Amino acid sequence: MCGIVGAVAQRPVSEILLEGLHRLEYRGYDSAGIAVINAEKKIERVRAVGRVAALAEKLNEAPVVGFVGISHTRWATHGEPAERNAHPHLSQQRVAVVHNGIIENHQLLRENLQQKGYQFTSDTDTEVVVHLIDSYLEQSLSLVDAVRKTVAQLEGAYALGVISTEEPDTLIAVRQGSPLVVGLGLGETFIGSDVQAMLRVTRQFVYLENGDFCVLTCEQRCIYDKDFQLVERPVKESTVGSFSSDLGQYSHYMHKEIFEQPIAIQATLEGRLEAHKVKPCIRGEGVMETLAEVESVQIVACGTSYHAGLIAAYWMEELTNIPCRVEVASEYRYRRCAPHKNMLFVTLSQSGETADTLAALEKVKQEKSILASLSICNVDESSLVRESDFSLLTAAGPEIGVASTKAFTTQLVVLQLLIALLLQAKGEAESMVTQIVEDLKKLPIIIESILEKDSQIKQMAEQFIDKNNALFLGRGDQYPVAMEGALKLKEISYIHAEAYPAGELKHGPLALVDGEMPIIAVAPNTHLIEKLKSNLEEVRARGGVLYLFADQAAEIQADEQVHIINMPNIPDLIAPIVYTVPLQLLSYYTAVFKGTDVDKPRNLAKSVTVE
Ligand code: G6P
């Protein structure tokens, strides 16, 4: 999703901006651009469709030099991916703007500006912002006042970077809803959609709050709050590791990240387990006292994180007897929800910046309908972490592939830690906590053993290349694993896939079964295995072809209609985490065989910062 990088420095900024854009590539985008104010105090702009590398090539041929600049990676919302729609947008060669988010009232603003004679050169919602600023400069307002007057008229979510020839040494940044961070250097200041964009140049950051308006020069960094009062926001030193873009032996980040799962899980568990209990690893004051009061849990998330929530709900109700509901954030945020007593509101997010998840949290905070909020997140210092009462971090390390893998399995790990801590806080079931601790300790080694099946799964994937549809089946806590498997396949290989709880087969999907559509099932040897086996027989009897990840102890026979990857015997509690891994590999190899852009699938973004 759109990424912003800006800089005001005492040296040329193009290189810094370009490096920042490279670091934001993981978010997904379709075009990129840069604008600087040059020595003659003129705006110079270069834009390119496609990769940041294409922009870099253009800049190589015709460099732009300036000490103040803004840049952008665009993920199309209004207007197709095209150079004329790429940011920065200009007005009268005197203002340039980059924008992340959506201006909801752009149509009305556009009509007003057109009546004033402004010509629009793009289909974007952003272009109204730049012309609006210019229209106020035309009335002799200062740049700060022109931007203030403009944002007062904007509805929606936005992060903006603005430069102008009127004040060529100033960079203005505004945050309302979409993420934006200020980076502090020595005599130079940066802005970025996340800290990764700026880690090459600084580790000191100011996290902006909604409504913040920044006036940045080399000497001064003035931040005004939503009431335009000058404020001091805390400066934080980032502990985020500067990630290496080295793929090593791997061809894709997704493959690398699948293989990093044992280490990521180990890192997530590091220092958190004792022999019979989990150490209080949730951040926030009075957390154990609060957990002791919890009587219901509501989990809210999007995408893959939502699937982690669905699995956790099975565990939560089974192990703690606490009612647990799960909902996608884009639904939850807009409906009236009946309050539940002493509710712990858990948001799950890899990035901590997903717009719908943040909005759902905002909603319950405003309604004051919850006992406390807890964010489970892979990014410390993210908006979600900062807005929540408590946080429980995963330590997956940066995930670059758009399709989430290690972030998902580490989320499941910390969800088990949360369950153990809830049990401990309530002084219940020590034996259950001991079981959780013992099973989690075994997890990295078990996943290593699954990764050894890489080439076997690759062979299986060859049979999916020419398929158009696939059906994933699971029962109990393996049903959301099947959902996650289907999501992975459709995200990166563009094969339509859906998941069903196997018991629902005969209520519809059985009508689709033929020799063409592969049916993938996850079959650990749990109390539901005999039920699942009956469901699989129903498929076989109708000529369906099965691809199974099955515990050997389940004694399912392979034949020309039944292809099996044998899975080890593993504790029930960690089975959803383990069975996720071969499904990731199956999707990965199918996509590789189909030749899709595995790490940056079409139309998708890693961090969805607009609604
Ligand atoms: C996007 C990503 C998914 C991710 C989802 C939720 O759709 O492509 O991989 O699961 O957003 O993101 P979050 O950062 O909130 O987990």
Side-chain angles (χ1 to χ4, degrees):
M1 200 129 288
C2 300
I4 289 176
V5 191
V8 44
Q10 289 157 348
R11 53 176 166 154
V13 294
S14 299
E15 285 282 310
I16 298 171
L17 299 181
L18 206 55
E19 166 69 18
L21 293 185
H22 273 304
R23 288 169 164 265
L24 292 179
E25 281 194 286
Y26 76 94
R27 297 161 75 92
Y29 67 100
D30 46 59
S31 48
I34 181 172
V36 300
I37 299 182
N38 68 16
E40 283 96 52
K41 302 197 188 329
K42 293 214 166 81
I43 294 177
E44 284 194 74
R45 171 180 69 173
V46 180
R47 299 180 292 177
V49 174
R51 294 277 178 256
V52 173
L55 177 68
E57 221 166 274
K58 278 191 163 182
L59 284 167
N60 226 352
E61 282 161 21
V64 295
V65 183
F67 290 9
V68 178
I70 48 178
S71 63
H72 191 263
T73 47
R74 174 172 188 258
W75 187 84
T77 56
H78 295 70
E80 57 174 356
E83 189 169 323
R84 70 193 164 80
N85 288 329
H87 300 213
H89 288 287
L90 303 190
S91 188
Q92 319 292 342
Q93 295 297 320
R94 88 169 141 187
V95 195
V97 163
V98 286
H99 163 223
N100 174 10
I102 291 177
I103 308 298
E104 285 167 1
N105 58 338
H106 70 102
Q107 200 53 47
L108 185 66
L109 295 171
R110 192 181 183 106
E111 283 159 20
N112 292 343
L113 286 159
Q114 276 166 335
Q115 275 165 21
K116 284 184 187 158
Y118 281 97
Q119 306 269 331
F120 281 73
T121 57
S122 79
D123 306 320
T124 64
D125 51 337
T126 307
E127 201 178 346
V128 298
V129 181
V130 73
H131 292 318
L132 210 47
I133 297 172
D134 187 79
S135 71
Y136 289 119
L137 291 175
E138 199 63 40
Q139 296 168 24
S140 303
L141 264 67
S142 68
L143 180 62
V144 169
D145 286 344
V147 180
R148 273 187 74 193
K149 279 239 178 199
T150 298
V151 294
Q153 291 187 52
L154 303 180
E155 286 167 19
Y158 48 85
L160 298 173
V162 184
I163 55 173
S164 168
T165 53
E166 294 289 313
E167 291 179 37
D169 305 321
T170 304
L171 166 63
I172 292 188
V174 189
R175 183 197 172 174
Q176 180 60 54
S178 300
L180 198 63
V181 185
V182 176
L184 311 176
L186 276 179
E188 48 191 20
T189 311
F190 313 95
I191 57 170
S193 293
D194 66 25
V195 298
Q196 288 289 356
M198 299 171 275
L199 280 178
R200 265 279 166 85
V201 280
T202 183
R203 298 197 81 85
Q204 306 284 323
F205 297 103
V206 173
Y207 295 91
L208 298 180
E209 302 204 350
N210 276 335
D212 278 0
F213 187 109
C214 313
V215 184
L216 310 168
T217 63
C218 286
E219 304 79 36
Q220 272 198 318
R221 294 123 176 187
C222 299
I223 302 177
Y224 301 89
D225 67 7
K226 58 181 184 339
D227 304 317
F228 213 69
Q229 296 300 309
L230 198 59
V231 282
E232 281 285 326
R233 298 264 178 251
V235 177
K236 298 206 172 152
E237 169 119 14
S238 175
T239 51
V240 176
S242 179
F243 65 83
S244 126
S245 55
D246 186 7
L247 276 168
Q249 66 191 97
Y250 300 96
S251 307
H252 299 97
Y253 285 106
M254 183 178 177
H255 201 207
K256 177 172 178 255
E257 287 158 5
I258 291 172
F259 272 77
E260 280 172 354
Q261 287 177 113
I263 301 170
I265 290 171
Q266 196 69 59
T268 299
L269 291 174
E270 192 66 40
R272 288 174 164 180
L273 302 181
E274 285 182 35
H276 302 287
K277 60 179 184 174
V278 170
K279 290 188 194 167
C281 48
I282 301 178
R283 279 196 321 210
E285 233 169 88
V287 62
M288 291 311 275
E289 292 78 0
T290 306
L291 290 187
E293 285 177 50
V294 169
E295 288 179 69
S296 65
V297 174
Q298 172 72 59
I299 300 177
V300 168
C302 302
T304 290
S305 296
Y306 167 66
H307 293 155
L310 289 175
I311 294 170
Y314 279 90
W315 291 338
M316 186 79 75
E317 297 207 344
E318 170 90 27
L319 302 178
T320 68
N321 206 27
I322 298 172
C324 178
R325 296 185 307 183
V326 191
E327 194 162 334
V328 286
S330 54
E331 286 297 314
Y332 189 88
R333 65 180 286 192
Y334 286 119
R335 71 179 188 89
R336 182 156 172 244
C337 310
H340 278 232
K341 208 172 157 212
N342 283 343
M343 186 168 89
L344 179 68
F345 187 78
V346 180
T347 52
L348 278 177
S349 174
Q350 176 275 128
S351 63
E353 302 294 349
T354 304
D356 284 322
T357 311
L358 274 163
L361 173 62
E362 191 53 36
K363 166 191 147 115
V364 290
K365 279 170 71 174
Q366 267 172 19
E367 290 172 351
K368 299 192 172 36
S369 53
I370 57 169
L371 174 69
S373 58
L374 165 71
S375 145
I376 290 180
C377 193
N378 195 42
V379 182
D380 196 2
E381 305 148 350
S382 63
S383 301
L384 213 48
V385 168
R386 285 179 287 124
E387 295 294 326
S388 302
D389 300 318
F390 305 121
S391 58
L392 179 50
L393 295 177
T394 50
E399 195 179 62
I400 298 170
V402 164
S404 186
T405 52
K406 60 178 181 166
F408 175 72
T409 44
T410 52
Q411 277 174 347
L412 290 173
V413 166
V414 297
L415 282 159
Q416 292 220 351
L417 297 181
L418 171 63
I419 288 168
L421 288 169
L422 271 166
L423 289 169
Q424 284 172 210
K426 289 176 179 292
E428 284 168 16
E430 200 187 305
S431 60
M432 188 52 75
V433 175
T434 307
Q435 189 64 55
I436 292 175
V437 169
E438 281 175 5
D439 290 352
L440 284 177
K441 281 182 182 164
K442 293 180 197 148
L443 197 50
I445 289 183
I446 295 176
I447 293 185
E448 290 280 3
S449 74
I450 305 300
L451 293 171
E452 284 167 18
K453 298 180 189 293
D454 184 73
S455 53
Q456 241 181 302
I457 298 168
K458 184 176 178 182
Q459 266 180 14
M460 186 183 258
E462 262 189 287
Q463 300 176 51
F464 283 64
I465 305 172
D466 58 350
K467 302 296 179 197
N468 297 319
N469 298 290
L471 183 62
F472 285 72
L473 300 176
R475 292 196 76 132
D477 59 12
Q478 292 287 339
Y479 166 46
V481 172
M483 292 170 83
E484 175 57 12
L487 175 63
K488 282 281 105 38
L489 191 69
K490 74 181 108 175
E491 274 183 313
I492 59 167
S493 74
Y494 315 149
I495 294 174
H496 166 247
E498 59 180 321
Y500 255 84
E504 275 289 295
L505 256 184
K506 53 175 85 65
H507 299 292
L510 217 43
L512 297 172
V513 170
D514 57 14
E516 276 307 300
M517 178 178 69
I519 295 169
I520 302 105
V522 272
N525 196 25
T526 65
H527 67 291
L528 289 168
I529 188 65
E530 291 308 323
K531 302 276 175 209
L532 179 70
K533 279 163 78 175
S534 307
N535 302 140
L536 300 181
E537 277 308 317
E538 290 161 9
V539 171
R540 243 168 79 90
R542 284 155 185 85
V545 182
L546 289 160
Y547 295 86
L548 306 182
F549 297 91
D551 190 325
Q552 265 169 303
E555 293 182 342
I556 303 174
Q557 297 305 319
D559 59 31
E560 72 282 357
Q561 247 183 290
V562 183
H563 308 275
I564 304 182
I565 303 269
N566 285 319
M567 297 288 283
N569 189 261
I570 45 172
D572 287 2
L573 217 52
I574 53 172
I577 310 179
V578 176
Y579 275 72
T580 296
V581 178
L583 297 186
Q584 295 168 342
L585 286 169
L586 183 68
S587 299
Y588 170 71
Y589 279 117
T590 306
V592 170
F593 286 132
K594 290 195 73 178
T596 61
D597 193 348
V598 176
D599 286 330
K600 298 190 185 80
R602 68 184 180 203
N603 307 337
L604 298 181
K606 181 78 187 160
S607 185
V608 180
T609 51
V610 294
E611 180 172 358

